[in-house]
């Protein structure tokens, strides 16, 4: 079974990237690949915090538990430890590209690149909106995760 190390990245590491990690874990379990997963934020505002309660609740509705995750910031080692670093929006991607050391071989890409449904490849930040934004985020991340895992299966 092929195995990949994947880091999901957003801004705060409390809404989108922990959810992406949880959903990817579930999608990969039903696939022909094995994923080692983690998530991180480009910013340090929420380091040490659990995911946002709205993210936890929206994933609990589909029996995915992300409550034990704890936010951390992206660090230099990540660029050597992970095969794939997937960004939730263009600002995250730009920050990651600035941080990536020249000798890192990680593929740093937009997560939404793997799914036509993602407008400009971005996953909208639900932080300042209501609960419905978190359901939309979950559905969007599920579609992208399925497309991403299908891509990894072809490698
Ligand atoms: P995330 O959402 O990047 O999906 O975790 C956000 C979380 C916190 C903030 C912004 C976005 N914030 O400004 O604190």
């Amino acid at each position: 079974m092929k195995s990949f190390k994947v880091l999901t990245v957003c801004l705060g590491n409390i809404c989108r990237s922990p959810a992406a990690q949880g959903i990817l874990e579930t999608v990969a379990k039903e696939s022909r690949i094995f994923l080692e997963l983690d998530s991180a934020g480009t910013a340090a505002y929420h380091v040490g915090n659990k995911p946002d309660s709205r993210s936890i609740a929206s994933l609990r509705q589909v029996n995915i538990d992300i409550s034990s995750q704890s936010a951390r910031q992206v660090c230099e080692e990540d660029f050597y430890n992970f095969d794939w670093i997937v960004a939730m929006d263009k600002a995250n991607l730009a920050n990651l590209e600035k941080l990536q050391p020249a000798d890192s071989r990680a593929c740093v890409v937009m997560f939404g690149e793997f799914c036509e449904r993602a407008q400009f490849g971005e996953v909208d930040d639900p932080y300042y909106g209501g609960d419905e934004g978190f359901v939309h985020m979950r559905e969007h991340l599920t579609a992208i995760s399925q497309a991403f895992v299908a891509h990894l299966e072809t490698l």
Side-chain angles (χ1 to χ4, degrees):
M1 192 182 253
K2 277 186 214 155
S3 161
F4 302 90
K5 292 184 176 181
V6 180
L7 183 70
T8 60
V9 175
C10 60
L11 176 64
N13 192 208
I14 55 167
C15 299
R16 292 165 292 175
S17 59
Q21 179 183 340
I23 292 168
L24 269 178
E25 188 178 3
T26 303
V27 172
K29 271 188 193 143
E30 289 156 13
S31 77
R32 288 179 275 116
I33 57 160
F34 179 77
L35 294 186
E36 265 184 69
L37 292 158
D38 197 6
S39 70
T42 56
Y45 318 130
H46 298 281
V47 169
N49 292 353
K50 286 207 303 190
D52 187 286
S53 57
R54 297 165 296 175
S55 246
I56 293 175
S58 84
L59 290 210
R60 194 164 279 152
Q61 287 171 358
V62 292
N63 293 319
I64 297 175
D65 181 11
I66 60 165
S67 63
S68 60
Q69 290 190 42
S70 165
R72 71 171 180 87
Q73 193 172 19
V74 174
C75 64
E76 194 179 336
E77 260 187 275
D78 289 327
F79 292 94
Y80 299 104
N81 284 344
F82 289 92
D83 305 307
W84 291 86
I85 299 181
V86 296
M88 298 299 137
D89 63 39
K90 287 178 185 166
N92 306 151
L93 182 67
N95 282 322
L96 288 167
E97 285 171 346
K98 267 187 240 156
L99 291 170
Q100 183 167 27
D103 61 346
S104 144
R105 297 180 60 202
C107 292
V108 180
V109 294
M110 290 283 277
F111 194 33
E113 188 178 297
F114 297 92
C115 178
E116 282 173 11
R117 199 182 133 180
Q119 243 191 354
F120 312 115
E122 297 196 289
V123 178
D124 290 338
D125 183 351
Y127 185 65
Y128 294 105
D131 291 344
E132 68 288 349
F134 284 80
V135 172
H136 176 76
M137 171 197 77
R138 183 190 73 213
E139 290 172 351
H140 196 176
L141 288 173
T142 301
I144 297 171
S145 296
Q146 286 164 346
F148 181 57
V149 167
H151 174 72
L152 295 181
E153 284 179 325
T154 68
L155 299 180

